[in-house]
Amino acid sequence: VVIFFIMAFQPKINIVNIENNNQNINIANTPSPIATKDNKAYNSDKKYKISFKIQPKVMFGENRSEIVSFDTFVDTRSVVKYGTTANYGITSEFPEYKTHHEIILADLDPNTRYYYSVSIYSDNGGFNEGYSSYFTTKSSIQYQYSFAVMGDSRPVTGFIMPKEFHELIQLIARKIPNFGIIVGDMVQLSDISTITNNDAEMAWKNFTDAILPISSKVPIYLAVGNHDEPTNPVSLKTYRELWTFPRNGGGKSGWYDETTYWFNYSNSLFIV
């Protein structure tokens, strides 16, 4: 199955079901076979609480991996716990202090639910007690799966996402598909004559915050549209900073990164 997505012009949502061998998701009750990494906990220097700028969201990675990405207001390091039960079982530390984080969780079992938590710490004692959610890894075999498709969800003007968008997100969250795709016009930047960094950040952050009820659990793929202003370097830079997509579009070096790309799921190939 090869599926192409191009920009939609009417706001809508479809839940697409593809049925093959109808195997069930593997939600295990036993600890992960991956070796546990027991590192020291950073609890001794807690002084005040800090918060995420963009809360964690997930994306399928390569070779049985999942990418957890998030942003913070100040430079932070992070500790991620994950496993096939709510008790996690695996702890990994990422000591580098930065504001944009893309964490790869490798050697995961396919078609399996994993629970995860993310804690962040600043260099002067700030901490966040943790954000927790779960995701289901990509299937490498043929089985029944579903994905959500929607498009043209931008505001008519300004940066506040319309209420219908929030309603659709809640609908998708109840369905819990394996992944989602938005086929263009996530934000409204085309009615601004000169797009500033603040404009782009506000538009893309509002959209990203609104979609977190599902993006924290299932990967969401985006195809940029004309209202997203992908040819504007300010808008494109912000989009790339907040979202993580494959860099396999080819063509001019760097030009198509994260805007034109492909990914596979089960026996299907998706070209964005």
Side-chain angles (χ1 to χ4, degrees):
V1 180
V2 181
I3 302 176
F4 291 81
F5 286 97
I6 55 178
M7 183 184 153
F9 294 95
Q10 295 294 329
K12 60 183 179 180
I13 175 173
N14 295 310
I15 300 294
V16 182
N17 290 285
I18 296 182
E19 182 173 355
N20 293 305
N21 290 341
N22 195 25
Q23 297 186 13
N24 294 324
I25 293 174
N26 174 21
I27 303 177
N29 293 317
T30 57
S32 169
I34 306 171
T36 300
K37 303 173 184 178
D38 290 322
N39 297 314
K40 67 178 182 178
Y42 290 91
N43 294 322
S44 60
D45 58 351
K46 290 183 177 180
K47 295 179 182 178
Y48 60 93
K49 290 187 178 182
I50 55 179
S51 60
F52 292 95
K53 181 178 181 180
I54 298 292
Q55 292 179 342
K57 55 188 184 299
V58 297
M59 177 56 62
F60 295 133
E62 299 295 328
N63 302 319
R64 295 169 52 205
S65 69
E66 197 90 6
I67 302 170
V68 178
S69 65
F70 57 92
D71 290 82
T72 53
F73 289 100
V74 297
D75 288 334
T76 63
R77 56 180 169 81
S78 58
V79 176
V80 178
K81 297 180 180 180
Y82 62 101
T84 55
T85 73
N87 294 324
Y88 308 121
I90 306 167
T91 300
S92 295
E93 296 186 23
F94 302 88
E96 182 182 356
Y97 286 89
K98 52 187 177 179
T99 57
H100 179 68
H101 304 253
E102 294 185 8
I103 295 171
I104 298 176
L105 307 181
D107 299 321
L108 304 177
D109 293 332
N111 195 32
T112 300
R113 177 173 291 185
Y114 280 85
Y115 300 84
Y116 72 96
S117 71
V118 180
S119 298
I120 52 176
Y121 305 86
S122 67
D123 60 358
N124 58 355
F127 74 100
N128 184 292
E129 291 179 329
Y131 176 92
S132 61
S133 189
Y134 61 85
F135 58 82
T136 299
T137 51
K138 183 189 293 187
S139 172
S140 58
I141 57 177
Q142 297 182 16
Y143 80 117
Q144 178 176 318
Y145 69 94
S146 65
F147 59 94
V149 184
M150 61 187 294
D152 210 5
S153 53
R154 63 179 175 84
V156 175
T157 187
F159 307 125
I160 305 301
M161 299 303 296
K163 67 180 182 64
E164 292 85 358
F165 179 74
H166 294 280
E167 293 168 353
L168 292 177
I169 295 305
Q170 292 303 318
L171 173 61
I172 296 173
R174 291 195 296 271
K175 298 283 187 178
I176 314 181
N178 294 91
F179 57 92
I181 301 176
I182 302 184
V183 292
D185 289 354
M186 285 72 68
V187 300
Q188 172 60 286
L189 288 169
S190 61
D191 61 349
I192 301 175
S193 57
T194 302
I195 301 173
T196 66
N197 286 319
N198 186 64
D199 293 331
E201 183 170 304
M202 187 174 299
W204 281 110
K205 185 180 185 307
N206 282 1
F207 163 77
T208 305
D209 285 344
I211 206 170
L212 281 170
I214 53 175
S215 62
S216 65
K217 298 178 178 66
V218 302
I220 302 296
Y221 292 92
L222 306 180
V224 292
N226 62 308
H227 290 281
D228 305 316
E229 290 292 335
T231 60
N232 183 287
V234 177
S235 177
L236 184 59
K237 177 176 179 291
T238 305
Y239 159 82
R240 284 173 168 164
E241 286 175 348
L242 293 184
W243 287 87
T244 302
F245 299 113
R247 294 188 169 113
N248 54 19
K252 182 180 177 181
S253 178
W255 181 259
Y256 295 106
D257 287 349
E258 301 185 274
T259 59
T260 300
Y261 56 89
W262 61 267
F263 67 95
N264 54 34
Y265 192 95
S266 186
N267 68 333
S268 304
L269 173 67
F270 295 84
I271 300 174
V272 181

